[in-house]
């Protein structure tokens, strides 16, 4: 995580990963978290077999990433099978 609209809590301190299921990790800052992990390039602009961590919920999902254009990344998070999941499109900011 390299940017947050509101990186600090109400007391002006960096937001912490309070929803992390691991008690030891709940004190780490959200800014700087590695949320995408362990992807393998499968060809044709597709990376699979990775995971995405959602700090808002504290949950980790299986994930597949593809590039729909040079400025758009489609990320599909799911549990178990890709048919039951959600796709988000991230757009490059210049």
């Amino acid at each position: 995580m390299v940017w947050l609209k509101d990186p600090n809590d109400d007391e002006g301190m960096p937001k912490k990963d309070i929803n992390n299921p691991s008690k030891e990790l709940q004190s780490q800052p959200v800014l700087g978290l590695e949320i995408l992990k362990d992807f393998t390039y499968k060809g044709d602009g597709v990376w699979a077999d990775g995971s995405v961590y959602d700090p808002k919920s504290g949950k980790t999902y299986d994930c597949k990433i593809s590039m729909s254009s040079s400025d758009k990344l489609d990320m599909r998070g799911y549990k178990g099978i890709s048919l039951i999941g959600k796709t988000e499109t991230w757009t490059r900011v210049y």
Side-chain angles (χ1 to χ4, degrees):
M1 184 82 61
V2 296
W3 182 85
L4 291 170
K5 181 177 180 182
D6 298 311
N8 296 328
D9 62 20
D10 293 338
E11 297 168 5
M13 300 299 293
K15 288 183 179 175
K16 304 290 185 194
D17 190 15
I18 59 173
N19 295 316
N20 196 303
S22 173
K23 293 284 184 199
E24 301 84 42
L25 298 177
Q26 291 178 357
S27 62
Q28 69 184 348
V30 173
L31 196 60
L33 279 179
E34 183 178 0
I35 60 171
L36 298 171
K37 293 183 180 181
D38 303 327
F39 288 88
T40 303
Y41 186 65
K42 300 296 185 179
D44 285 336
V46 175
W47 291 262
D49 303 326
S51 64
V52 59
Y53 173 68
D54 177 8
K56 287 183 181 178
S57 68
K59 294 182 181 179
T60 300
Y61 300 93
D62 298 322
C63 189
K64 178 170 64 171
I65 295 173
S66 60
M67 298 291 293
S68 56
S69 75
S70 62
D71 292 335
K72 296 202 183 290
L73 180 135
D74 296 322
M75 183 175 52
R76 180 145 187 94
Y78 56 94
K79 282 286 189 186
I81 59 171
S82 181
L83 288 173
I84 303 171
K86 178 181 177 183
T87 300
E88 285 193 9
T89 299
W90 291 2
T91 303
R92 183 187 315 253
V93 176
Y94 294 97

